[in-house]
Amino acid sequence: MKPSIPKGTRDFSPVEVAKRQYIIQKMRTHFEKFGFQPIETPSFENSETLMGKYGEEGDRLIFKILNSGNFFFNKNKIELPESINSLQTNSAETISVNELVELNKFTNNISEKALRYDLTVPFARYVVQHQNDIEFPFKRYQIQPVWRADRPQKGRFREFYQCDADVVGSTSLWQEVELVQLYDSVFTDLGLNGVTIKINNRKILSGIAEVIGASDKLIDFTVALDKLDKIGEDGVKKEMIEKGISETAIEKVQPLFNFTGSISEKITKLSVLLADSIEGMKGVEELQFICDNVTDLGLTSAILDLDVTLARGLNYYTGAIFEVAPPKAVSMGSIGGGGRYDDLTGIFGLKNMSGVGISFGLDRIYLVIEELGLFPETVTTTSKAIFLNFGQEETKYSMKAITELRKVGVKVELYPDNVKIAKQFQYAEKRGIHLAIIVGDDEMKNNQFSVKNLVSGEQQKVDFENLKKMLQ
Amino acid sequence: MKPSIPKGTRDFSPVEVAKRQYIIQKMRTHFEKFGFQPIETPSFENSETLMGKYGEEGDRLIFKILNSGNFFFNKNKIELPESINSLQTNSAETISVNELVELNKFTNNISEKALRYDLTVPFARYVVQHQNDIEFPFKRYQIQPVWRADRPQKGRFREFYQCDADVVGSTSLWQEVELVQLYDSVFTDLGLNGVTIKINNRKILSGIAEVIGASDKLIDFTVALDKLDKIGEDGVKKEMIEKGISETAIEKVQPLFNFTGSISEKITKLSVLLADSIEGMKGVEELQFICDNVTDLGLTSAILDLDVTLARGLNYYTGAIFEVAPPKAVSMGSIGGGGRYDDLTGIFGLKNMSGVGISFGLDRIYLVIEELGLFPETVTTTSKAIFLNFGQEETKYSMKAITELRKVGVKVELYPDNVKIAKQFQYAEKRGIHLAIIVGDDEMKNNQFSVKNLVSGEQQKVDFENLKKMLQ
């Protein structure tokens, strides 16, 4: 029986951990530079904290934890409704509401905790629970794993990290300006030049809905409009009509079909288009403030773009909406996203707390950096050199040097066993260690070390001071 | 309803995260300096990977994860044995074996995954699963949370971090030497001078058992001997006799009752005592090698001590046993421990892989550093300065400076809202930010910034270059 891990989960090898830590450390540095403070929350929360916060589909994807043995038996009897025994279904799709109710009763009885599904709900819970210890506005970042019982597929895992930076307790649009700068700052430092930070505003979308006279058709409208590149203006209009959007409505927003130009040109077009919508114009004003200030302050390598089709988490966001596309050389979905949500903590009883935040997609960022070959060679945990093992006396001599080298921070190791030297060389090469240190009678007599470069094959004898210089 | 978290779990505030990260980063640095490579494993494993590895008590303390909604219903019917419905117990202690078997069948049916209970079993699973990609000896470190359904109490949590460094695939005693040095290196760097690294050897304990002619009484013997300080020689002997150890046996190991002196004196005493035990003498030899070499190479601040009563994980370790006591100024249990276990991966079918490793107790180390006031003041994620908000024009001017400061790595933030200035000062103080930057008409006219030190109350006007110098 070969050991394995649950589907949708991953082991990370030393090289992978080093690269992930490289990204995470960069994020930490920039988050803190922008005044965000780290918090961490427990891996599991009380079920009632999580359930009902992610919609029906989300609830089903939450991993529930069985009450532990002890706890289980502390109740006099395990309550199992007879109806559970008679449950008979073939798939989630065919379960009746009654059955679902019975199942929920049952699982709630044997499970009172669940694994974190995202970092936003635990953050809201944290803010409400610790509100008396927090100074608002509270800028927090959080880098922790989350778990989702999604069907695993390429690039989608059941355990993955989320990296979130949010501000709660201020409606100032300067936050949005800073969050765009934060994206720019992180991606520039990671060498990912030319990411596109797309921005939109929920109020723009509501304004469009108002103008076309069909609030309920908004999602159909944006989904269709998003296909403009692929199916052309006629194709988009055909789809809109099929979805029940009137020709008059489509006529009203004709400029959206040729929505190109600079950000300020786009904003001008939107001002004309949404002139009759108070909410729409509020959205235009917000977008203008953010874009103007971002442009004035300048981005280092990222490109800001206004994308009126951007509608991620439409039910959730109330103001700005962000999404980051990787550099054009890479074909991959968004590597980050976020937005403003006006009532973050309302679900836990603390009203009027506006929040705005962004998220970084660690797994995808990793893949993009890998694909572009942008991980620095220095991102490794491998030792600088390995001292080969020629026997007890030689090793004592080596260990004195190793001890001193480590004191000055050099990553160095000893081959622990006195085995055939060919095997030791092979080990060093397979481990990717570039320098092998050889200590024999000669070296011991002369207080020296032979250093063999395993890449070039060159070998030289040096004293300890020079060895230290070579390795530092 | 006030939101809360499950008992035994914790939220970590920004200050706490910063301090924990400080310790973790130091560990990472030293682990890598000693040639250890990081790996990470999934938070949950297949139940069969974990169950049966930690004894009966351990199995009960493993958190099981309920099969997710989808998965649950993909089976045609949920099998619930009738006997489960009739289970009736008051506490874990009174459950019968039959009931336990039924319960296990039941829980296995609804749960196939479980949260990691420690890092050692997942490490063994990792080694076996990836054996073809690993070069042995494999030195790995792992810093990740584990979960145990223990009854929570002061200092014992249901979610806590383990920080382990292990080598697998070599029996060389140089590993033990290096692990003692690693402890010294980490604790010295954390400012924890004067920790005691206690060392013992399972073979010494087996030798003592052989000498007293009672292998089954070994634990009773060491437990009693360990109380020497508290209850004196007569008390210890009385307890031993009560436990069924004969007076003749006790007579044979009389030197253990006055087991003081230097390490080499202790080793000499053990050599005499265990002369007739082949295994015991092997233990003495191993101890001597480790202690001699550690002493020759020298420790920076830690104290090495030979403690024959040390028996942690007796069923588990086969060679060296380590335990670290905090500096004497602090009253706390061990802050680290480890040892050698000859058949680490045998449970997963890979034989003859000796392992040796040590563990660092993050939570206790944190408490010790806190108690001794050894966290450096620089361990903080708090911003160096906050720019107060006096309105739109002032903020635009401030944001230009903030953007430039962040480019050179300065942690700095903007108060986002234009509210009463007293409120902004109060915010800065409560956040622990020492400098407030004030921008008014005068400052903007003269290209200056007023810097107010919130600790001393001093205020001065500086240009941008000087501001940068002050904050870098």
Side-chain angles (χ1 to χ4, degrees):
Chain A
M1 187 201 72
K2 203 178 174 267
S4 64
I5 51 177
K7 60 178 180 180
T9 67
R10 292 166 288 174
D11 281 330
F12 294 106
S13 71
V15 175
E16 290 165 333
V17 173
K19 289 176 176 173
R20 285 164 63 88
Q21 282 293 323
Y22 163 78
I23 300 171
I24 288 172
Q25 283 308 323
K26 292 263 187 225
M27 286 183 194
R28 281 190 183 279
T29 303
H30 291 273
F31 288 171
E32 290 178 14
K33 226 168 61 178
F34 278 73
F36 290 87
Q37 306 283 295
I39 68 162
E40 291 182 4
T41 62
S43 296
F44 48 74
E45 297 270 350
N46 293 323
S47 295
E48 63 260 33
T49 300
L50 304 185
M51 300 302 281
K53 310 301 192 297
Y54 305 102
E56 212 174 289
E57 172 70 4
D59 275 5
R60 277 205 300 138
L61 299 183
I62 291 173
F63 278 115
K64 283 111 193 151
I65 295 171
L66 211 52
N67 292 337
S68 62
N70 261 323
F71 195 79
F72 208 60
F73 286 104
N74 280 337
K75 304 186 169 182
N76 275 357
K77 193 169 186 307
I78 304 161
E79 297 292 331
L80 296 179
E82 179 54 34
S83 46
I84 288 293
N85 276 311
S86 57
L87 268 188
Q88 195 149 3
T89 62
N90 290 314
S91 80
E93 282 65 45
T94 62
I95 182 173
S96 75
V97 173
N98 276 344
E99 284 170 331
L100 192 62
V101 168
E102 287 302 333
L103 180 83
N104 280 346
K105 274 199 228 153
F106 166 65
T107 55
N108 284 339
N109 204 25
I110 59 167
S111 165
E112 290 162 346
K113 293 180 286 292
L115 288 174
R116 180 168 62 209
Y117 179 84
D118 74 355
L119 301 180
T120 307
V121 170
F123 171 50
R125 192 268 309 146
Y126 180 99
V127 167
V128 177
Q129 189 174 333
H130 303 283
Q131 55 185 290
N132 296 330
D133 304 318
I134 293 173
E135 303 306 315
F136 294 99
F138 180 45
K139 297 173 81 168
R140 91 83 173 78
Y141 77 85
Q142 196 169 352
I143 302 176
Q144 291 193 284
V146 302
W147 296 268
R148 293 182 183 180
D150 253 323
R151 197 175 299 274
Q153 45 179 258
K154 196 176 173 299
R156 193 203 280 167
F157 304 100
R158 291 188 149 189
E159 173 176 46
F160 59 97
Y161 267 67
Q162 287 196 335
C163 316
D164 288 9
D166 296 80
V167 197
V168 64
S170 162
T171 56
S172 165
L173 292 173
W174 284 109
Q175 314 278 14
E176 275 85 341
V177 173
E178 288 192 286
L179 288 172
V180 172
Q181 290 186 316
L182 176 55
Y183 266 139
D184 178 50
S185 191
V186 170
F187 287 123
T188 300
D189 197 13
L190 286 170
L192 281 184
N193 296 327
V195 304
T196 302
I197 304 170
K198 298 184 217 167
I199 184 170
N200 195 13
N201 194 301
R202 165 63 189 260
K203 299 185 180 90
I204 297 280
L205 294 170
S206 302
I208 293 173
E210 212 180 312
V211 168
I212 64 172
S215 299
D216 59 326
K217 294 289 189 322
L218 179 58
I219 290 172
D220 289 336
F221 183 86
T222 50
V223 165
L225 189 61
D226 199 28
K227 295 181 186 162
L228 193 58
D229 276 357
K230 286 180 209 128
I231 60 175
E233 184 170 334
D234 288 350
V236 171
K237 285 186 175 169
K238 187 160 162 266
E239 180 171 326
M240 286 180 175
I241 287 165
E242 278 165 16
K243 294 286 182 181
I245 297 164
S246 74
E247 289 197 40
T248 333
I250 295 172
E251 202 56 47
K252 274 190 189 157
V253 291
Q254 176 64 33
L256 291 177
F257 291 95
N258 185 29
F259 206 68
T260 53
S262 68
I263 292 178
S264 62
E265 283 163 359
K266 286 182 180 173
I267 288 178
T268 307
K269 284 184 196 174
L270 285 175
S271 308
V272 175
L273 203 66
L274 303 173
D276 293 340
S277 162
I278 293 172
E279 194 173 4
M281 287 309 289
K282 179 89 180 90
V284 171
E285 198 185 301
E286 289 184 15
L287 265 182
Q288 180 140 30
F289 180 91
I290 298 163
C291 294
D292 280 357
N293 281 295
V294 167
T295 307
D296 280 359
L297 293 165
L299 294 176
T300 308
S301 77
I303 300 148
L304 185 67
D305 189 27
L306 199 168
D307 180 355
V308 286
T309 67
L310 187 62
R312 51 182 295 145
L314 189 60
N315 298 319
Y316 189 64
Y317 296 125
T318 52
I321 305 170
F322 301 113
E323 191 170 276
V324 183
K328 292 190 178 55
V330 182
S331 156
M332 177 139 7
S334 66
I335 55 175
R340 183 174 284 277
Y341 32 98
D342 270 342
D343 194 22
L344 174 65
T345 56
I347 40 172
F348 297 113
L350 184 62
K351 299 287 178 201
N352 297 320
M353 276 284 176
S354 185
V356 60
I358 57 175
S359 188
F360 291 78
L362 177 62
D363 286 310
R364 283 190 179 171
I365 292 170
Y366 183 106
L367 290 174
V368 171
I369 296 178
E370 192 74 289
E371 192 175 328
L372 296 174
L374 293 174
F375 280 115
E377 264 189 52
T378 49
V379 176
T380 172
T381 55
T382 306
S383 298
K384 276 252 178 155
I386 184 164
F387 282 70
L388 304 188
N389 193 320
F390 289 82
Q392 221 53 309
E393 282 317 304
E394 291 84 348
T395 300
K396 282 188 187 200
Y397 179 91
S398 295
M399 278 298 292
K400 285 204 169 67
I402 288 172
T403 303
E404 290 310 309
L405 287 167
R406 285 176 179 157
K407 276 187 189 156
V408 293
V410 179
K411 286 184 197 171
V412 68
E413 62 190 87
L414 167 76
Y415 191 90
D417 300 291
N418 181 13
V419 297
K420 279 201 189 117
I421 216 66
K423 195 183 167 189
Q424 298 189 40
F425 273 121
Q426 199 184 33
Y427 176 83
E429 274 163 30
K430 285 200 175 157
R431 286 277 315 283
I433 301 172
H434 291 335
L435 300 175
I437 318 288
I438 297 158
V439 168
D441 286 343
D442 262 17
E443 284 84 356
M444 289 198 289
K445 206 161 55 194
N446 302 318
N447 267 316
Q448 287 184 313
F449 301 86
S450 285
V451 182
K452 179 163 184 164
N453 186 316
L454 298 176
V455 182
S456 68
E458 279 170 42
Q459 187 167 329
Q460 56 177 313
K461 280 188 186 170
V462 295
D463 63 10
F464 181 72
E465 281 311 311
N466 280 310
L467 179 67
K468 201 160 81 175
K469 270 184 208 146
M470 285 175 75
L471 298 177
Q472 258 178 326
Chain B
M1 188 202 68
K2 200 178 175 262
S4 64
I5 52 177
K7 61 177 177 178
T9 68
R10 293 167 286 175
D11 281 329
F12 294 105
S13 71
V15 175
E16 290 165 333
V17 174
K19 289 177 176 174
R20 285 164 65 89
Q21 283 294 322
Y22 163 78
I23 299 171
I24 289 172
Q25 283 308 323
K26 293 263 186 221
M27 285 184 195
R28 282 189 184 279
T29 302
H30 291 273
F31 288 171
E32 291 179 14
K33 226 170 59 179
F34 278 73
F36 290 87
Q37 307 281 296
I39 68 163
E40 289 182 3
T41 62
S43 296
F44 48 74
E45 297 270 352
N46 293 322
S47 296
E48 62 261 33
T49 300
L50 304 184
M51 299 303 279
K53 310 301 191 299
Y54 305 103
E56 212 174 289
E57 173 70 6
D59 275 6
R60 275 206 301 139
L61 299 183
I62 291 172
F63 279 114
K64 284 110 193 152
I65 294 171
L66 211 53
N67 292 336
S68 61
N70 261 322
F71 196 78
F72 207 61
F73 286 104
N74 281 337
K75 307 187 168 182
N76 276 356
K77 191 169 189 307
I78 304 162
E79 297 292 331
L80 296 177
E82 179 53 35
S83 46
I84 288 294
N85 274 311
S86 57
L87 268 186
Q88 195 149 4
T89 63
N90 289 313
S91 78
E93 282 64 47
T94 63
I95 181 173
S96 77
V97 173
N98 276 343
E99 283 171 331
L100 192 61
V101 168
E102 288 300 335
L103 180 82
N104 280 344
K105 276 199 228 154
F106 166 67
T107 54
N108 284 340
N109 205 26
I110 59 167
S111 163
E112 291 161 349
K113 292 181 289 289
L115 288 174
R116 183 168 60 210
Y117 179 84
D118 73 357
L119 302 180
T120 307
V121 169
F123 171 50
R125 193 266 311 144
Y126 179 99
V127 167
V128 177
Q129 189 174 333
H130 303 282
Q131 55 184 288
N132 296 328
D133 305 319
I134 293 174
E135 302 306 316
F136 294 98
F138 181 44
K139 299 174 81 169
R140 90 85 173 77
Y141 78 84
Q142 197 170 349
I143 302 175
Q144 291 194 282
V146 301
W147 296 268
R148 295 184 182 177
D150 254 323
R151 197 174 298 274
Q153 44 179 257
K154 193 175 175 297
R156 192 204 281 167
F157 304 100
R158 292 187 149 189
E159 173 176 44
F160 58 98
Y161 266 67
Q162 286 196 335
C163 316
D164 287 11
D166 295 79
V167 196
V168 65
S170 163
T171 56
S172 166
L173 292 172
W174 284 109
Q175 315 280 14
E176 276 85 343
V177 174
E178 288 192 284
L179 289 173
V180 172
Q181 289 186 315
L182 177 55
Y183 266 141
D184 177 49
S185 192
V186 169
F187 288 123
T188 300
D189 197 13
L190 287 171
L192 281 183
N193 296 326
V195 304
T196 302
I197 304 169
K198 297 184 216 166
I199 184 170
N200 196 12
N201 193 300
R202 164 63 189 259
K203 300 183 180 92
I204 297 280
L205 294 170
S206 302
I208 293 173
E210 213 181 311
V211 168
I212 65 173
S215 300
D216 58 323
K217 295 292 190 323
L218 180 58
I219 290 171
D220 288 337
F221 183 85
T222 49
V223 165
L225 190 61
D226 199 29
K227 296 180 186 162
L228 193 59
D229 277 357
K230 286 180 212 132
I231 61 177
E233 185 171 333
D234 288 349
V236 171
K237 287 186 175 169
K238 184 161 164 266
E239 181 170 326
M240 287 178 176
I241 287 165
E242 279 165 16
K243 295 285 181 182
I245 297 164
S246 74
E247 288 198 39
T248 332
I250 296 170
E251 201 56 43
K252 277 189 188 159
V253 292
Q254 177 63 33
L256 292 177
F257 291 95
N258 186 27
F259 207 67
T260 52
S262 67
I263 292 177
S264 60
E265 284 163 357
K266 286 181 181 174
I267 288 177
T268 307
K269 283 184 198 174
L270 285 175
S271 308
V272 175
L273 201 65
L274 302 174
D276 293 339
S277 163
I278 294 172
E279 194 174 5
M281 286 309 288
K282 179 87 181 92
V284 171
E285 198 183 302
E286 289 185 13
L287 264 182
Q288 180 140 33
F289 180 91
I290 298 163
C291 294
D292 280 358
N293 281 295
V294 167
T295 307
D296 280 0
L297 294 165
L299 294 176
T300 308
S301 77
I303 300 148
L304 186 67
D305 190 26
L306 200 169
D307 180 354
V308 286
T309 66
L310 187 61
R312 50 183 294 147
L314 190 59
N315 298 318
Y316 188 66
Y317 296 124
T318 53
I321 305 170
F322 301 113
E323 192 170 276
V324 183
K328 293 192 177 55
V330 183
S331 153
M332 177 140 5
S334 66
I335 54 176
R340 183 174 283 276
Y341 32 98
D342 271 341
D343 193 23
L344 174 65
T345 56
I347 39 172
F348 298 114
L350 183 63
K351 298 288 178 197
N352 297 319
M353 277 283 179
S354 185
V356 59
I358 57 174
S359 188
F360 291 77
L362 178 62
D363 286 310
R364 283 191 180 170
I365 293 170
Y366 183 106
L367 291 173
V368 172
I369 296 178
E370 190 75 288
E371 192 174 327
L372 295 174
L374 293 174
F375 280 114
E377 263 189 54
T378 50
V379 176
T380 172
T381 55
T382 306
S383 299
K384 277 252 177 156
I386 185 165
F387 282 71
L388 304 188
N389 193 321
F390 287 84
Q392 222 54 311
E393 282 317 305
E394 292 84 348
T395 299
K396 281 186 190 202
Y397 179 89
S398 294
M399 277 299 291
K400 285 203 169 67
I402 288 172
T403 303
E404 290 309 312
L405 288 167
R406 285 176 180 157
K407 276 187 189 155
V408 293
V410 179
K411 287 184 199 172
V412 68
E413 62 190 86
L414 166 77
Y415 192 91
D417 300 291
N418 181 13
V419 297
K420 279 204 189 115
I421 217 63
K423 194 182 169 190
Q424 298 189 41
F425 271 123
Q426 197 183 36
Y427 176 83
E429 274 163 30
K430 286 201 175 160
R431 286 277 315 285
I433 302 172
H434 290 335
L435 300 175
I437 318 288
I438 296 159
V439 168
D441 287 341
D442 262 17
E443 285 83 358
M444 290 199 288
K445 204 162 56 194
N446 302 318
N447 266 315
Q448 287 184 315
F449 301 86
S450 286
V451 182
K452 179 159 185 168
N453 186 317
L454 298 177
V455 182
S456 68
E458 278 170 42
Q459 187 166 331
Q460 55 177 312
K461 279 188 188 173
V462 294
D463 64 11
F464 181 71
E465 283 311 311
N466 280 310
L467 179 67
K468 199 157 82 174
K469 272 185 208 146
M470 287 176 75
L471 298 178
Q472 259 178 328

